[in-house]
Amino acid sequence: MDAVERAIAAFVDRYGLEPELVATAPGRVNLIGEHTDYNGGHVLPMALPFVTAIAASARVDHVVTVASEGFDPARFSIGDHPASTDGWARYLHGVGWELADSGIEVRGWSGVVTTDVPVGASLSSSAALEVASANTFCRGVELDPLTIAQVGQRVENHLIGMPCGIMDQLVSAAAVAGHALLIDCASLTYRPVPIPAEATVVVMDTLTRRRLVDSEFAARRHDCEEAARRLGVTHLVEAALADLSDLGGPDDRLRRRARHVVTENQRTLDAAAALQSGDLAALGELMDDSHRSLRDDYQVSGPALDAIVDLARHAPGCLGARMTGGGFAGCAVALVTADLLDVFAAHVEAGSGRTCRLYPVKPGPGAAVAIPRARSS
Ligand code: GLA
């Protein structure tokens, strides 16, 4: 059973009737444009065909009671501050709180959360939870994807303490099936870019999970803000490569961070153009360059990520490969000639001693709300 079916079945089991709605939101894999979002740059993620699902029915009050596979059940009142809710349910409580704080009408609900998005794997399971829950709190009211994404980002920034950008929440809310989403994180505009059928995107989970990433993430963001301040630009992507030599310093750290951001932003624009014109070889090369830049200049890769990227690069059919998401552990992504997918997968699985998990994926749609058939008929 997939996440939607499990959520409905668990809801029926728990409450003895069908849920009023099922809200779904996908995880994402980023093709290119890493650590550019909070620097006012471009990103090119796509939604995964794996979703987080919430099966729920409205309550008359402002209380939420929720159960979830593998996590403790939770109960909270939306009007209380989310800091009073611990653990995974703080994401939900935070979304309700932030929506209400934006003047959007929210109501309580009883429900069940399930997910097929691997957790802690850099595939944005928390963004999927935030986006699905926003639609649950506002059932029937159409919120635009950017509003939903900004609510999720505020939850991360203010209530979880993760200073992320907008990419994960926005692609989860706004993705279009069959397409990657080119997002300009300065203007907050986006457009779908089709992914040709001759290429398969393969998510490669190293099954390593991240530790201390959030503090490393905050340190990178801090470096970027410091570099932008010294260069006199609002967003680091506005700096010209030629100006980066002004960023001296004993360990050359800020200059390398800035060089990653500026070159990665250009690579992302070039990648979108390559995708649009069907030049998959060019896209693959840009992904390879992105990995080197993240590993050497931005220093957010890790041994397991480097190893699987290297393995993939030498596998038949591979056009390009790189780490994806925040970094340090979790997943990498490869672009593979569709005809050679099986031999690619066999090579990588054997080479890793079967310590990885591969997911060939087609780009899925963004968040949705469905009314189960039994209720609507
Ligand atoms: C995490 C953050 C995103 C983005 C990526 C790196 O996924 O949530 O906002 O910064 O890392 O590109």
Side-chain angles (χ1 to χ4, degrees):
M1 288 203 288
D2 66 17
V4 170
E5 292 161 341
R6 296 198 308 281
I8 295 173
F11 186 98
V12 171
D13 205 35
R14 200 174 165 88
Y15 298 104
L17 75 178
E18 293 277 323
E20 280 175 6
L21 66 82
V22 181
T24 52
R28 63 100 188 93
V29 59
N30 190 18
L31 298 180
I32 197 163
E34 216 66 86
H35 292 277
T36 44
D37 61 351
Y38 54 84
N39 285 303
H42 293 80
V43 292
L44 190 62
M46 60 173 240
L48 293 171
F50 312 135
V51 302
T52 290
I54 304 181
S57 288
R59 294 173 60 106
V60 289
D61 54 18
H62 281 75
V63 168
V64 171
T65 59
V66 61
S68 172
E69 289 169 340
F71 293 96
D72 289 338
R75 179 189 170 94
F76 57 83
S77 177
I78 302 167
D80 293 340
H81 194 276
S84 60
T85 298
D86 288 326
W88 72 280
R90 184 175 294 179
Y91 289 94
L92 298 183
H93 193 164
V95 169
W97 168 273
E98 288 287 348
L99 285 165
D101 195 53
S102 316
I104 296 166
E105 199 186 322
V106 291
R107 278 172 59 196
W109 47 274
S110 296
V112 176
V113 179
T114 58
T115 190
D116 287 337
V117 184
V119 174
S122 301
L123 299 177
S124 297
S125 56
S126 59
L129 180 60
E130 289 150 12
V131 171
S133 68
N135 281 327
T136 308
F137 280 109
C138 300
R139 85 214 121 253
V141 181
E142 281 236 350
L143 291 179
D144 80 287
L146 182 58
T147 302
I148 295 178
Q150 287 172 322
V151 162
Q153 188 190 13
R154 284 204 298 278
V155 170
E156 296 277 357
N157 292 174
H158 303 149
L159 301 170
I160 304 295
M162 166 62 173
C164 66
I166 193 81
M167 167 170 69
D168 306 343
Q169 291 80 6
L170 191 48
V171 67
S172 183
V176 176
H179 296 69
L181 199 67
L182 178 66
I183 304 173
D184 176 343
C185 301
S187 64
L188 296 175
T189 51
Y190 49 88
R191 75 178 164 83
V193 185
I195 299 191
E198 311 86 84
T200 301
V201 172
V202 181
V203 174
M204 306 185 291
D205 189 349
T206 62
L207 305 179
T208 56
R209 294 295 179 253
R210 51 197 193 186
R211 293 207 173 92
L212 298 179
V213 159
D214 296 353
S215 61
E216 288 291 340
F217 191 97
R220 294 301 179 284
R221 184 160 185 167
H222 183 266
D223 281 350
C224 291
E225 284 164 3
E226 176 64 13
R229 196 185 59 74
R230 289 203 202 166
L231 292 165
V233 292
T234 311
H235 294 123
L236 192 47
V237 292
E238 293 158 19
L241 259 188
D243 295 339
L244 302 188
S245 49
D246 297 349
L247 291 170
D251 59 0
D252 207 25
R253 196 183 74 235
L254 291 188
R255 193 181 66 85
R256 288 161 76 187
R257 304 291 189 248
R259 184 167 62 185
H260 166 72
V261 169
V262 171
T263 57
E264 180 79 351
N265 189 47
Q266 188 58 50
R267 278 190 290 274
T268 307
L269 292 169
D270 294 347
L275 204 48
Q276 193 79 54
S277 66
D279 189 347
L280 297 171
L283 174 59
E285 274 178 35
L286 291 160
M287 291 170 73
D288 292 341
D289 291 345
S290 169
H291 185 76
R292 280 189 284 270
S293 178
L294 287 157
R295 183 190 63 200
D296 301 336
D297 275 350
Y298 216 65
Q299 297 178 298
V300 290
S301 190
L305 292 170
D306 288 342
I308 205 158
V309 165
D310 195 48
L311 199 51
R313 278 311 293 126
H314 293 97
C318 186
L319 298 163
R322 57 184 289 278
M323 54 153 277
T324 188
F328 299 100
C331 289
V333 58
L335 188 70
V336 179
T337 308
D339 290 347
L340 293 173
L341 178 60
D342 291 347
V343 35
F344 169 86
H347 180 102
V348 174
E349 276 167 359
S352 76
R354 307 199 183 273
T355 58
C356 67
R357 194 138 181 222
L358 303 186
Y359 303 98
V361 286
K362 298 264 174 250
V369 179
I371 310 295
R373 211 184 305 267
R375 276 246 155 194
S376 54
S377 57

